[in-house]
Amino acid sequence: MPSDKQIISERQKKTSIKGTVGEYEAIAKLTKEGYFVAKSVDPACPFDIVIVDRNGKIQLIDIKTNTFRKNKKGKSLKDKPKGSYKIHRSPTKEQKRLGIKLMMVDYD
């Protein structure tokens, strides 16, 4: 049913696209490296993919796209080099408990 209300904002759409591209780039890279890769289908899952090496070692991976601050304490950072104020990510308590590793990817 069409509506005048937007389901998601343009910012959310761009963020979602970056995340999707990052996930599939990571999947392609890991597959090229010889891992078997399976993707989670549950949006509430604490990991994005499961990788299995040729010896059967299983790892749970949550893929995060590197992001950078645009402002720092009210000051614009547009004149600073891109990597100056990277936002660092850390696993949640549940991810730590389950041994889930974060894999950071770049979005160009």
Side-chain angles (χ1 to χ4, degrees):
M1 197 182 321
S3 169
D4 290 339
K5 293 186 180 186
Q6 233 179 344
I7 296 173
I8 62 170
S9 70
E10 286 301 314
R11 182 179 173 279
Q12 288 170 317
K13 195 182 302 182
K14 285 179 186 176
T15 301
S16 176
I17 290 168
K18 283 182 183 181
T20 300
V21 169
E23 277 186 28
Y24 283 98
E25 285 181 350
I27 289 168
K29 178 182 183 279
L30 291 163
T31 301
K32 286 178 187 175
E33 290 176 6
Y35 290 94
F36 298 109
V37 181
K39 185 164 172 22
S40 168
V41 296
D42 180 356
C45 188
F47 58 86
D48 293 316
I49 60 174
V50 177
I51 63 172
V52 182
D53 70 15
R54 298 289 174 183
N55 296 317
K57 183 179 177 197
I58 298 169
Q59 294 179 59
L60 305 177
I61 309 289
D62 189 32
I63 302 166
K64 297 289 183 197
T65 303
N66 284 317
T67 53
F68 302 89
R69 296 202 186 284
K70 291 187 175 87
N71 297 297
K72 184 175 183 187
K73 296 183 181 176
K75 295 181 181 179
S76 173
L77 302 175
K78 66 182 174 184
D79 297 328
K80 301 279 184 193
K82 183 175 179 181
S84 297
Y85 295 98
K86 185 168 141 181
I87 298 171
H88 295 281
R89 307 286 181 199
S90 58
T92 65
K93 287 180 184 179
E94 182 179 21
Q95 288 174 327
K96 288 177 187 175
R97 183 180 66 78
L98 295 171
I100 297 168
K101 304 288 185 203
L102 298 186
M103 180 179 186
M104 303 305 295
V105 296
D106 287 319
Y107 180 85
D108 296 319

